[in-house]
């Protein structure tokens, strides 16, 4: 029987250099899409997938994330003094239960694989989810909930995948795909950031994973890969041939919010998806004279 996925790891220890100077004193994961920080969307998605324990791998300058998921006496008092009861209820509604959130520090940002490895003692010996907050998926049924449902059938390791233009394979972990069954694709191989000519396919991993705890053993060696970083993909590649390993073609539109164009697109798409903002935003977009 497949073990239920109860824990999620949120690696938030990266430097966010592509967004400097915004990320000099503010974590990239706190940048808002419309009116919610990226990390808030990720935690909401985990909650919707039935996750009960939230493990953040943070780093220097990331304390705003801890404050965000904490009780704020000053703000509550101020809101209460102004009779803003709706706002208080809204704040309370999404606060994780006491003891459900744990933080550990990645002292040096050595790469995503290293960040996940830093969570090993908090995760323990059960399958767990990993969510990268800068990948945002706009969909009716949250991406991780779709994956948790699929994982009940597949067990093993499951990674969210999407087809990317071949010229972009150098930005992703890319699958050597085996058999396809509905949304599931058997993983025969995985390569981190291959050049377009060398990529085994265009099917690429995005920031949602359900992993077996054996991955920690494969990360132990701490061997740097592409870009001199300890890559999660390299450890995952070493797990192929063991437990079942599938790519999952999720339903939804993914935005790479670690990239400026992707971040701007996400703001527009998420605003257009909201009843209170659609009118104003679409009127503005229509008014733009974009030339040819
Ligand atoms: P990115 O690859 O986008 O790196 O990380 P980054 O450092 O955040 O941003 P750039 O490339 O310098 O602009 C994807 C996710 O993995 C986390 C990041 O915080 C982000 O949520 N990460 C990355 C870590 O936790 N530790 C690392 O060493 C690297």
């Amino acid at each position: 029987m497949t073990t239920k996925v109860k824990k999620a790891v949120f690696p938030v220890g990266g430097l966010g250099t592509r967004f400097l100077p915004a990320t000099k004193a503010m974590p990239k994961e706190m940048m808002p899409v419309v009116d919610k920080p990226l990390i808030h969307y990720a935690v909401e998605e985990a909650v919707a997938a039935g996750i009960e324990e939230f493990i953040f791998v943070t780093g220097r300058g990331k304390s705003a994330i801890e404050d965000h998921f904490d009780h704020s006496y000053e703000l509550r008092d101020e809101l209460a003094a102004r009779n803003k009861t709706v706002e208080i209820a809204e704040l309370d509604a999404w606060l994780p239960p006491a003891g459900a959130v744990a933080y550990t520090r990645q002292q040096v940002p050595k790469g995503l694989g290293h960040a996940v490895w830093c969570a090993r003692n908090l995760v323990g010996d059960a399958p767990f989810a990993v969510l990268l907050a800068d990948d945002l998926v706009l969909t009716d049924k949250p991406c991780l909930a779709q994956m948790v449902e699929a994982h009940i059938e597949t067990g093993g390791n499951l990674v969210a995948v999407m087809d990317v233009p071949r010229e972009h394979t150098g930005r992703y972990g890319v699958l050597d795909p085996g058999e396809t069954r509905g949304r599931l694709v058997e993983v025969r191989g995985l390569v981190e950031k291959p050049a377009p000519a060398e990529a085994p396919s265009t099917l690429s991993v995005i920031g949602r994973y359900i992993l077996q705890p054996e991955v920690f053993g494969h990360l132990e060696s701490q061997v740097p890969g592409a870009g001199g970083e300890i890559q999660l993909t390299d450890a995952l590649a070493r797990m192929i041939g063991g437990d079942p390993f599938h790519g999952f073609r999720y339903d939804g539109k993914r935005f790479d919010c670690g990239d400026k164009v992707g971040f701007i697109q996400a703001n527009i798409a998420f605003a257009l998806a909201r009843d209170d903002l659609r009118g104003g935003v679409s009127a503005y977009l229509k008014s733009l004279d974009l030339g040819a």
Side-chain angles (χ1 to χ4, degrees), residues 12-15 23-24 27 58-63 105-109:
V12 293
L15 295 177
T23 48
K24 183 165 179 248
T58 72
R60 286 186 71 77
K62 300 280 181 166
S63 53
R105 280 234 195 180
Q106 183 189 26
Q107 292 141 326
V108 181

Side-chain angles (χ1 to χ4, degrees), residues 18-96:
R18 285 172 289 169
F19 267 96
L20 283 168
T23 48
K24 183 165 179 248
M26 179 184 72
K28 173 173 82 173
E29 299 79 9
M30 284 301 291
M31 294 201 313
V33 165
V34 183
D35 54 6
K36 257 192 267 181
L38 288 168
I39 191 66
H40 190 128
Y41 287 98
V43 168
E44 274 185 346
E45 185 178 328
V47 170
I51 297 295
E52 293 166 13
E53 293 181 47
F54 308 84
I55 301 163
F56 291 79
V57 182
T58 72
R60 286 186 71 77
K62 300 280 181 166
S63 53
I65 296 175
E66 295 179 42
D67 291 340
H68 185 73
F69 293 105
D70 198 4
H71 188 87
S72 170
Y73 290 102
E74 301 86 344
L75 180 58
R76 277 186 74 95
D77 289 352
E78 274 304 321
L79 291 173
R82 296 173 196 196
N83 280 324
K84 299 226 175 234
T85 47
V86 174
E87 286 79 358
I88 293 176
E90 279 171 2
L91 285 179
D92 287 345
W94 57 258
L95 211 56

